């Protein structure tokens, strides 16, 4: 289970802004660092298959040996987390988790209960997501992604809106689960502490190694 | 599939207008095989030009249309310039917003009842101030200059333009511009007019054109408040269109083309005036006059205008309601001697029939419009298609509906509910689309990305994420469409061919009768139906999502 970005280049109006050639093994994290506006989020948009038309993509994205480059977003099985939790406001906590869980899974309620317990949210399934704390919502968002059984995890500054104490906790929570499931992770961030906690290679959008 | 939706919606907007216009060109030159005339001639034009009332009718259309538009625009800009960013402004917008769902005809009836010689204003002033012991013989409503008509249009168009300005303000950086102007020592109104108004006007130009075209060619409001001998050109065209002598349809068609030409001509002049005002305005803005003294006059004037419009419509509607229950009501008593259900119970079975037809047509047209709007938005409609949306709102109804009615007649579908529903759809669709477009685009696309990352395909993202998250906007768009359909007079009358009628055609048909109690009943129903739908549309999402705080705002 690995994610390979093969000679990936993203250009806008002919100017190359992102250039990466990397392989991320199971449970590994590739951190992409840079200031805002450098193209980090564009890289993630390209990986999920939602690159705006103004950009041109070259190279290939391989996941577990399959070429993802031309697939639609929902066919790629790459889960994504943003700095906002983006829980669906019209669904309960359990409803959000159920949205992530594939159809045809037996004992849905049991699976959702176990996920809630893993996130320290026991018996909160019926709650309105708007009534949870920021940390709780972030954990629900992660569990929702994990229940969808992604083959890779993409993180777009996922900790930047949490306050300092919570941030360290949440980093630990996310990276531990990604490692346990053997997921390759791409993290884009402008926060060195995020990249340090991730523990993997750290590069700029043009693929150069970044010293922390 | 999605593209197909876009083209279906655009076709639905443009085709009936173009077909309708094509359908008046033939008859306007004496050609209509269905009526046994298959030679071209200028006879219809000679008949129109030979009509002695033509000059006055044309003048009335132009003057009332331009006056109503100019006054509405000026008052709207004044209200916003004088009060934007204050608590009073919130109150003003909240008080005027409900007037949008009100059909033009109901507002016009209310105003007519209020200002008539036997209305509440005259009663309130009599006999102590006026000396009148009985209603004076004054032509206030239906005055030959069309001033009552202008007033009736202004009370409806100011809320509409106000809403358009409110929608445009976020894109104009108005609060910061106003702050800069104020800190440079400008008065509130002058600073706003010099720094914000040009940007706002550029955004509301199309709605202003729609108001101008509508005001010049409106039929129902003119039947209720407008002059009668001669009436405005649009009313005269309708008279010829519905004349028992089918031969009059030829001159109706010629006059419809004349009406179209008039509207296009005035729109062109308006555009030239815009350029002139812009040129003068640049000098004015660069001239540096701070206009500090003006606020003392203009701010109360703006508040007074908003209050006056709210009161006029509010009291007018209350008057309709009281008249519908009134027994004996002598002048100058402010309240009837007795109240009774007599008129209501007498109309009950007719009301039920008409309400059923009205609701059925409105539900159908709005449902289809909503589906097409979603399909068009999903296909990414914007840019050129957005201005095409305004086509049925800018080409006057009276110019192309006669042609459409002729087609319906030839096809044998006139007088069916389906045909009326189709005709309503032409006008419902633009409003539903406009109501839905902004919230649709404001939706956070990352929610769709997250859902796709969870394995949800485009259909599931639409049905299980985007539409539920937009429940409130969908409900509002539905209510807007429903109100638009209920308010349609001309399409119902011309395509319904007298065999399909709604509460609106019934109410307007009573205008000339002078029977206040009967008019009261039908106008109250006409105003209550869209308001009830609006109330449901606002309450339903709050009820469905009462346990979801995230769904309460926006």
């Amino acid at each position: 289970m690995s994610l390979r970005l093969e000679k990936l280049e993203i250009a806008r109006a002919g100017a190359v802004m992102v250039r990466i050639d990397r392989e991320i093994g199971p449970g590994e994290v590739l951190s992409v660092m840079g200031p805002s506006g450098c193209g980090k989020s564009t890289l993630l948009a390209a990986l999920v298959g939602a690159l705006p038309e103004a950009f041109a993509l070259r190279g290939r994205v391989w996941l577990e040996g399959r070429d993802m480059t031309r697939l639609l977003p929902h066919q790629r099985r790459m889960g994504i987390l943003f700095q906002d939790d983006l829980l669906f406001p019209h669904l309960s906590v359990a409803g959000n988790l159920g949205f992530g869980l594939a159809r045809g899974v037996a004992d849905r309620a049991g699976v959702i209960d176990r996920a809630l317990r893993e996130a320290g949210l026991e018996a909160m399934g019926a709650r309105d997501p708007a009534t949870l704390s920021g940390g709780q919502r972030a954990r629900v968002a992660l569990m929702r992604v994990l229940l969808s059984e992604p083959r890779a995890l993409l993180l777009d500054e996922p900790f930047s809106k949490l306050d300092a104490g919570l941030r360290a906790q949440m980093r630990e929570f996310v990276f531990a689960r990604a490692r346990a499931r053997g997921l390759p992770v791409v993290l884009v961030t402008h926060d060195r502490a995020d990249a340090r906690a991730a523990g993997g290679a750290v590069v700029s959008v043009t693929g150069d190694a970044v010293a922390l | 599939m999605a593209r197909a939706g876009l083209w279906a919606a655009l076709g639905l907007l443009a085709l009936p207008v173009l077909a309708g216009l094509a359908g008046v060109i033939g008859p306007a030159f004496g050609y209509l095989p269905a009526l046994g005339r298959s030679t071209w001639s200028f006879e219809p034009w000679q008949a129109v030009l030979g009509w002695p009332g033509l000059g006055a009718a044309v003048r009335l259309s132009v003057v009332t249309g331009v006056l109503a538009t100019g006054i509405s625009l000026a008052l709207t800009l004044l209200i916003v310039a004088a009060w934007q960013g204050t608590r009073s402004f919130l109150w003003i917008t909240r008080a005027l917003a409900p007037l949008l769902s009100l059909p033009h005809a109901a507002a016009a009836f209310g105003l007519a009842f209020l200002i008539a010689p036997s209305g509440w204003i005259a009663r309130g002033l009599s006999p102590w101030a006026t000396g009148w012991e009985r209603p004076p013989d004054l032509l206030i409503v239906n005055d030959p200059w069309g001033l009552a008509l202008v007033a009736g249009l202004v009370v409806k168009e100011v809320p509409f333009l106000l809403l358009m300005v409110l929608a445009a303000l976020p894109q104009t950086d108005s609060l910061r511009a106003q702050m800069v102007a104020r800190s440079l020592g400008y008065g509130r109104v002058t600073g706003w007019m010099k720094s914000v108004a040009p940007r706002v006007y550029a955004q509301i130009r199309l709605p202003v054109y729609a108001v101008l075209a509508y005001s010049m060619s409106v039929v129902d409001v003119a039947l209720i408040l407008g002059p009668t001998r001669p009436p405005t050109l649009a009313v005269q065209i309708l008279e010829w269109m519905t004349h028992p002598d089918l031969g009059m349809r030829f001159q109706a068609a010629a006059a419809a083309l004349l009406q179209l030409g008039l509207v296009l001509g005035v729109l062109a002049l308006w555009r030239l005036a815009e350029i002139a005002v812009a040129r003068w305005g640049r000098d004015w803005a660069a001239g540096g006059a701070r206009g500090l003294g003006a606020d003392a006059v203009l701010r109360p004037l703006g508040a007074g205008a908003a209050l006056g419009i709210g009161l006029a419509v509010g009291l007018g509607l209350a008057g309709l309601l009281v008249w519908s229950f009134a027994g004996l009501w002598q002048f100058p008593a402010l309240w009837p001697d007795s109240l009774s259900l007599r008129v209501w119970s007498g109309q009950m079975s007719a009301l039920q029939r008409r309400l059923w037809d009205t609701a059925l047509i409105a539900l159908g047209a709005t449902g289809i419009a909503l589906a097409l709007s979603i399909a068009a938005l999903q296909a990414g409609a914007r840019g050129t298609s957005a201005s095409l949306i305004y086509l049925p709102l800018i080409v006057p109804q009276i110019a192309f509906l006669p042609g459409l009615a002729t087609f319906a007649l030839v096809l044998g579908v006139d007088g069916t509910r389906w045909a009326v529903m189709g005709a309503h759809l032409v006008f419902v669709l633009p409003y539903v689309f406009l109501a839905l477009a902004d919230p649709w685009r404001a939706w956070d696309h990352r929610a769709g990305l997250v859902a796709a990352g969870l394995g949800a395909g485009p259909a599931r993202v639409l049905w299980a994420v985007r539409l539920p998250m937009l429940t409130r906007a969908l409900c509002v768009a539905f209510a807007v469409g429903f109100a638009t359909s209920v308010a349609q007079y001309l399409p119902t009358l011309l395509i319904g061919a007298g065999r399909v009628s709604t509460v609106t055609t019934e109410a307007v048909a009573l205008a000339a009768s002078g029977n206040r109690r009967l008019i009261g009943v039908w106008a109250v129903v006409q105003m209550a139906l869209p308001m009830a739908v609006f109330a449901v549309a606002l309450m339903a999402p709050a009820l469905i999502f009462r346990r979801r705080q995230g769904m309460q705002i926006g």
Side-chain angles (χ1 to χ4, degrees):
Chain A
M1 192 139 82
S2 78
L3 175 64
R4 196 165 134 225
L5 315 182
E6 184 195 340
K7 298 190 174 120
L8 210 60
E9 272 190 15
I10 304 172
R12 175 169 198 158
V16 175
M17 43 191 307
V18 175
R19 181 182 290 123
I20 285 191
D21 188 23
R22 281 270 174 180
E23 177 150 2
I24 304 131
E28 284 179 16
V29 182
L30 174 69
S31 297
V32 181
M33 290 257 328
S36 58
C38 72
K40 296 179 310 231
S41 295
T42 310
L43 169 63
L44 288 196
L47 294 185
V48 292
L51 194 64
E53 278 174 26
F55 296 92
L57 176 70
R58 286 173 49 188
R60 288 182 182 285
V61 180
W62 299 87
L63 184 56
E64 300 178 344
R66 280 177 64 212
D67 184 358
M68 299 275 123
T69 322
R70 301 272 161 252
L71 294 186
L72 292 170
H74 67 279
Q75 297 164 332
R76 299 190 178 203
R77 307 195 65 182
M78 295 200 211
I80 187 164
L81 285 176
F82 290 98
Q83 56 182 320
D84 300 298
D85 52 73
L86 294 168
L87 295 179
F88 302 132
H90 57 294
L91 300 176
S92 65
V93 170
N96 268 280
L97 295 175
F99 190 101
L101 197 55
R103 266 170 228 235
V105 171
D107 187 25
R108 299 180 71 83
V111 175
I112 290 171
D113 274 348
R114 278 193 292 284
L116 284 169
R117 211 172 310 136
E118 186 180 346
L121 298 164
E122 219 163 344
M124 288 196 178
R127 287 275 291 271
D128 177 359
T131 62
L132 302 187
S133 72
Q136 289 171 327
R137 292 168 58 98
R139 294 205 292 278
V140 176
L142 176 68
M143 295 319 292
R144 182 175 66 175
V145 170
L146 295 180
L147 286 184
S148 75
E149 303 200 336
R151 318 309 289 170
L153 194 57
L154 309 175
L155 307 174
D156 190 350
E157 310 249 10
F159 315 117
S160 62
K161 280 215 174 154
L162 301 171
D163 52 43
L166 216 50
R167 202 176 301 165
Q169 247 178 45
M170 192 64 199
R171 278 189 199 115
E172 178 51 32
F173 188 75
V174 172
F175 292 131
R177 268 146 200 83
R179 259 196 309 276
R181 286 166 172 79
L183 294 176
V185 178
V186 177
L187 164 72
V188 306
T189 182
H190 67 271
D191 183 348
R192 283 167 193 280
D194 283 353
R196 229 175 284 135
V202 185
V203 296
S204 71
V205 281
T206 45
D208 308 315
V210 172
L212 293 174
Chain B
M1 165 61 207
R3 286 277 143 193
L6 178 58
W7 288 112
L10 293 180
L12 251 169
L13 288 171
L15 265 186
V17 179
L18 300 179
L21 287 177
V24 294
I25 290 175
F29 293 94
Y31 180 84
L32 185 57
L35 288 185
R37 299 246 210 124
S38 44
T39 53
W40 298 79
S41 81
F42 283 101
E43 259 173 59
W45 288 96
Q46 284 154 1
V48 170
L49 295 175
W51 176 53
L54 185 68
V58 166
R59 194 177 61 239
L60 268 174
S61 296
V62 172
V63 171
T64 54
V66 171
L67 262 185
T69 310
I71 294 173
S72 301
L73 180 61
L75 289 182
T76 306
L77 292 179
L78 178 62
I79 291 170
V80 184
W83 296 96
Q84 192 198 354
T86 67
R87 189 176 302 222
S88 315
F89 190 62
L90 280 182
W91 276 101
I92 291 171
T93 52
R94 263 186 222 149
L96 294 187
L99 300 190
L100 264 186
S101 74
L102 190 67
H104 273 89
F109 274 126
L111 192 68
F113 277 31
L114 188 65
I115 62 176
S118 61
W120 260 339
I121 292 179
R123 287 167 185 268
L125 297 173
S126 301
W128 58 273
T130 59
W132 295 332
E133 297 291 343
R134 39 182 47 257
D137 191 14
L138 290 176
L139 205 58
I140 301 177
V141 177
N142 312 118
D143 64 291
W145 304 282
L147 297 181
L149 171 57
V150 169
L153 289 167
V154 167
V155 297
K156 270 294 290 177
E157 299 310 338
V158 167
F160 173 68
L161 287 177
L162 195 60
L163 192 85
M164 292 294 130
V165 171
L166 285 183
L169 280 176
Q171 289 137 54
T172 58
D173 208 4
S174 60
L175 288 175
R176 294 201 303 172
Q178 176 75 328
M179 219 184 302
V180 169
R182 298 279 283 156
S183 70
L184 292 171
Y186 279 85
R188 197 181 261 276
V189 175
T190 309
W192 196 91
M193 286 294 178
K194 287 187 171 184
S195 66
V196 184
R199 276 179 271 185
V200 165
Y201 188 79
Q203 300 264 341
I204 62 163
R205 177 175 283 136
L206 281 174
V208 169
Y209 291 175
V211 168
L212 181 57
Y214 177 85
S215 301
M216 283 183 69
S217 60
V218 64
V219 171
D220 51 357
V221 181
L223 280 171
I224 296 164
L225 289 169
T228 48
R229 269 174 310 195
T232 61
L233 183 61
V235 171
Q236 187 60 45
I237 296 172
L238 179 65
E239 224 162 86
W240 287 332
M241 249 330 265
T242 52
H243 200 279
D245 175 5
L246 289 179
M248 300 295 255
R249 288 195 171 208
F250 293 95
Q251 69 197 64
L257 282 188
L258 177 64
Q259 174 82 65
L260 178 66
L262 269 184
V263 167
L264 294 180
V266 171
L267 279 172
L269 289 178
W270 186 278
R271 179 76 192 105
L272 289 180
E274 277 176 9
I275 294 169
V277 169
R279 184 165 299 168
W280 168 83
R282 274 191 289 272
D283 291 343
W284 180 59
R290 262 44 175 180
L292 281 168
D295 281 356
V297 180
L298 293 177
R299 295 195 77 201
L301 195 65
L307 192 71
I309 290 169
L311 268 182
V313 177
L315 282 176
L317 297 180
L320 290 173
L321 194 63
V322 175
W323 267 113
S324 75
F325 289 108
L328 184 67
W329 191 359
Q330 283 171 321
F331 193 84
L334 281 176
W335 197 255
D337 296 344
S338 62
L339 298 176
S340 93
L341 284 170
R342 187 179 53 84
V343 185
W344 279 95
S345 54
Q347 294 295 310
M348 209 34 91
S349 70
L351 277 174
Q352 274 171 3
R353 257 196 327 275
R354 297 294 168 250
L355 266 175
W356 172 245
D357 274 355
T358 310
L360 206 66
I361 290 167
L363 280 174
T366 311
I368 298 170
L370 208 50
L372 285 173
S373 296
I374 291 170
L377 286 165
Q378 185 77 347
R382 68 175 91 78
T384 49
S385 50
S387 43
L388 207 56
I389 292 280
Y390 279 93
L391 194 62
L393 307 183
I394 284 182
V395 176
Q397 289 194 344
I398 193 70
F400 74 94
L401 281 174
L404 224 48
T406 306
F407 278 124
L409 183 75
V410 170
L411 293 174
V413 297
D414 64 323
T416 64
R417 280 190 200 136
W418 292 105
V420 173
M421 196 186 285
H424 280 206
L425 181 56
V426 177
F427 305 100
V428 170
L429 184 57
Y431 285 108
V432 168
F433 182 88
L434 290 174
L436 197 54
D438 278 343
W440 186 272
R441 292 186 192 121
W443 177 72
D444 189 344
H445 279 82
R446 294 177 307 166
L449 270 188
V450 165
L454 298 172
R460 186 149 180 246
V461 171
L462 176 68
W463 289 101
V465 181
R466 194 166 196 170
L467 292 180
M469 283 176 78
L470 292 172
T471 304
R472 180 187 288 262
L474 290 166
C475 285
V476 169
F478 183 88
V480 167
F482 193 92
T484 306
S485 171
V486 171
Q488 293 304 317
Y489 172 70
L490 210 50
T492 319
L493 190 73
L494 290 182
I495 310 293
R499 296 195 291 283
V500 179
S501 59
T502 62
V503 290
T504 297
T505 50
E506 290 290 329
V508 177
L510 292 167
S513 74
N515 186 335
R516 292 206 182 75
R517 292 170 182 82
L518 212 49
I519 292 174
V521 166
W522 285 92
V524 163
V525 170
Q526 197 215 1
M527 112 190 142
L529 185 59
M531 281 200 168
V533 170
F534 251 98
V536 171
L538 292 181
M539 277 183 325
L543 207 63
I544 298 170
F545 294 114
R546 65 189 177 283
R547 296 178 58 195
R548 297 279 175 266
Q549 284 173 23
M551 297 292 289
Q552 302 300 319
I553 4 147

